[in-house]
Amino acid sequence: MLQLCRSISPIAFICAVVMFGCLGMTSKACHEPVQQEGKPAQAASSEPKAIPQSREEMKKRLHELKGRKSRLPLPKTDPAVTGNANGGRPVVNNGLARRTYLPAAWFAADFGNDPAMSLTYVFKTQCFWIVSRGNNCHYCLGHQEHKLHDSGLSDKQIAWLDYDWTQLDPMVRKGATLAKAMTLMPHQISDRDIEQLRPELTDPQIIELVYTIAMFNSVNRWTDALGLPQDAIMREKPIDFLTPVDSEFQGKAGGLAATDPQAADRSLPSFQDTLKRMMESENRQPRVELPTEEAARKMLGITDVAVPIANWERALATFPEVGKRQWDALQAMKSDGHVSEKLKAIIAWTSARHNFASTTLKLAYGRFEKLGLTASDIEQLDRHAGLDAKEELVARFAAKLTEHPQRISDADIEELRGEFSDQQVAEIVYLIAAANMMDRFTETLSL
């Protein structure tokens, strides 16, 4: 696990930087302390941001995000100092928010810097664009637009992601199809979704793609729920969205990967049916060939054969460096931070319940049992019976951010701020985001 102390130097801090392609951060020594702002005089808006219908509208809204106010206050930074702590590059707001509010060990993992990974940067970025479109995350969508342009794609080639997948490379089309399914319908993933990736992708590449898409869904929920303003500069280049739209798409509605703003809540199975499915999943077969148990033990440094190794841990061993950092981060989220163990378990349970994710549901069930809850207690909790006001608030927010991240509004975050500190609010959002990652990783691969 990557451990950082409060006295860490800016240069040493570089080791903790997490870059989901669009992420960055800085040490606390590099910026002024956060000034806690008073609550707004008028009620926060309960209206979610609009889902762009056309390419012109999308560019306009991505540009307008540069002027929005973050839902949690961000510190003022000294560009000269933060640049030195980030390899000379300006720090983006995503990384700044992480460093400001989260334990460093929580975000020690990433998803694209492992020698064992082989999928291309542009391919992954195109999938990130699809995920961000589905979740209506304007912050991440803007970063992917910038990165694809910077990689040499024309505006027309990027627009195909929103308008015409028949124009995409066949492998990109398959990746986009999986990205959309994992984003909008994770509870409906089947063997066919994985089989359609073969023979173009090997099993290790399928695991890499699924993990990467799952991580994209996590970062969308983090950046968008916090309402982060768009960055003016990324990787030393200005971010410019007010560029011409190709004539083929002018005035035309797109949205192949966009969500239906009127989509209904998922119809959840009963508690008893959920337990039955949870138990049956113990004997299911993974949809891919996994690394050996020995490989996972080597990655995790576990020599005691009495300690069981789960299939999801074996899957992470596909990319040992990133996999170990991710495993460490998940363990840190259980033990570190300022949110109670029960609230963490409620978040994990709620996310898994709404994503129909059997493996992570069982893990959450075990966390409740360790807290002394009986089967009857857990059933009542599943109905939100017996929760105190704060627990009920977090459970409702977790369900909304899990199923409908596009609908999170200023009012949702302000309601949390009325009961929790800003640091706790950030941790709650991040825990929900991480839970959604694990749900998609385990369920898509049938781990």
Side-chain angles (χ1 to χ4, degrees):
M1 181 185 304
L2 180 58
Q3 298 289 345
L4 297 179
C5 65
R6 292 184 180 273
S7 60
I8 191 166
S9 70
I11 298 302
F13 179 72
I14 298 172
C15 298
V17 174
V18 175
M19 290 284 149
F20 289 115
C22 65
L23 311 184
M25 63 186 178
T26 180
S27 91
K28 216 169 246 190
C30 295
H31 59 66
E32 298 175 10
V34 174
Q35 297 300 315
Q36 295 295 330
E37 301 176 1
K39 303 303 179 186
Q42 59 183 21
S45 172
S46 60
E47 288 295 319
K49 64 185 184 304
I51 299 174
Q53 299 302 304
S54 67
R55 185 98 179 118
E56 291 95 336
E57 183 187 0
M58 178 187 293
K59 291 191 173 194
K60 178 177 179 290
R61 293 195 180 278
L62 295 184
H63 174 76
E64 290 173 346
L65 194 70
K66 292 180 180 180
R68 82 147 290 148
K69 180 182 178 181
S70 177
R71 289 169 179 154
L72 293 184
L74 293 178
K76 295 179 181 179
T77 61
D78 180 342
V81 179
T82 56
N84 289 335
N86 192 35
R89 297 183 299 186
V91 176
V92 296
N93 288 327
N94 190 342
L96 188 59
R98 287 169 179 253
R99 182 63 188 109
T100 301
Y101 290 111
L102 301 177
W106 283 27
F107 51 92
D110 60 29
F111 53 76
N113 296 305
D114 192 296
M117 291 180 165
S118 61
L119 298 179
T120 70
Y121 170 81
V122 172
F123 174 55
K124 289 183 177 181
T125 304
Q126 289 170 307
C127 290
F128 203 164
W129 193 102
I130 294 294
V131 172
S132 301
R133 183 67 159 121
N135 288 325
N136 199 34
C137 178
H138 292 187
Y139 182 86
C140 292
L141 190 60
H143 274 214
Q144 308 328 305
E145 286 268 334
H146 178 75
K147 288 157 56 182
L148 290 173
H149 273 298
D150 197 41
S151 296
L153 271 67
S154 67
D155 194 80
K156 184 174 186 177
Q157 289 174 308
I158 298 173
W160 283 341
L161 295 169
D162 209 36
Y163 287 86
D164 188 0
W165 288 4
T166 65
Q167 301 295 326
L168 301 176
D169 175 89
M171 193 61 251
V172 175
R173 187 161 60 246
K174 288 187 173 186
T177 300
L178 182 66
K180 179 179 179 178
M182 286 180 61
T183 298
L184 301 181
M185 300 165 287
H187 58 301
Q188 296 179 1
I189 294 290
S190 68
D191 294 346
R192 181 178 299 178
D193 293 290
I194 298 302
E195 284 302 316
Q196 64 97 16
L197 299 172
R198 299 185 172 105
E200 288 83 357
L201 293 186
T202 64
D203 279 14
Q205 287 176 320
I206 291 173
I207 296 172
E208 178 185 346
L209 179 60
V210 169
Y211 173 75
T212 303
I213 292 172
M215 290 290 278
F216 294 156
N217 270 278
S218 175
V219 70
N220 277 178
R221 283 168 171 78
W222 162 254
T223 61
D224 198 61
L226 294 191
L228 296 180
Q230 187 56 268
D231 302 286
I233 296 176
M234 180 184 178
R235 299 179 182 178
E236 302 179 319
K237 294 183 179 180
I239 298 180
D240 182 14
F241 302 115
L242 300 182
T243 55
V245 173
D246 189 277
S247 59
E248 180 178 342
F249 310 107
Q250 290 177 6
K252 297 179 181 178
L256 283 179
T259 187
D260 176 2
Q262 304 302 321
D265 293 344
R266 294 167 191 164
S267 180
L268 304 185
S270 69
F271 180 77
Q272 292 303 324
D273 286 345
T274 296
L275 291 188
K276 180 180 179 181
R277 176 175 172 172
M278 186 175 75
M279 299 307 295
E280 290 175 347
S281 70
E282 293 182 3
N283 299 316
R284 66 184 180 183
Q285 293 299 309
R287 292 182 171 127
V288 291
E289 183 176 348
L290 301 175
T292 64
E293 181 176 314
E294 289 71 24
R297 289 187 182 279
K298 180 179 180 180
M299 176 188 75
L300 299 174
I302 297 176
T303 57
D304 186 352
V305 295
V307 177
I309 300 296
N311 280 340
W312 66 268
E313 293 170 318
R314 290 175 59 188
L316 286 179
T318 305
F319 21 86
E321 293 182 11
V322 165
K324 180 58 163 62
R325 291 197 294 269
Q326 182 60 253
W327 190 88
D328 286 342
L330 292 169
Q331 305 314 305
M333 285 180 229
K334 292 180 182 179
S335 59
D336 301 347
H338 302 80
V339 175
S340 72
E341 290 186 29
K342 186 178 180 183
L343 269 183
K344 290 179 180 180
I346 289 172
I347 287 170
W349 175 267
T350 303
S351 175
R353 189 80 159 90
H354 286 261
N355 284 325
F356 295 55
S358 301
T359 295
T360 46
L361 198 70
K362 184 178 180 182
L363 292 173
Y365 194 96
R367 293 169 76 169
F368 284 137
E369 289 183 318
K370 287 183 179 180
L371 291 171
L373 275 67
T374 65
S376 177
D377 294 332
I378 299 172
E379 182 173 11
Q380 289 188 52
L381 180 148
D382 188 64
R383 295 184 283 106
H384 290 192
L387 298 180
D388 64 31
K390 290 186 177 182
E391 292 167 345
E392 167 70 19
L393 173 59
V394 170
R396 285 191 289 105
F397 178 77
K400 185 174 183 179
L401 186 54
T402 293
E403 283 202 36
H404 306 294
Q406 313 87 352
R407 299 179 189 175
I408 298 299
S409 68
D410 294 349
D412 291 314
I413 298 300
E414 278 304 303
E415 188 175 12
L416 288 173
R417 294 182 77 194
E419 299 293 339
F420 300 95
S421 70
D422 284 354
Q423 188 173 36
Q424 287 175 313
V425 171
E427 290 183 6
I428 287 167
V429 171
Y430 197 83
L431 288 166
I432 298 168
N436 271 271
M437 181 280 291
M438 276 293 289
D439 293 344
R440 284 167 171 78
F441 182 55
T442 57
E443 203 60 27
T444 301
L445 295 175
S446 190
L447 302 178

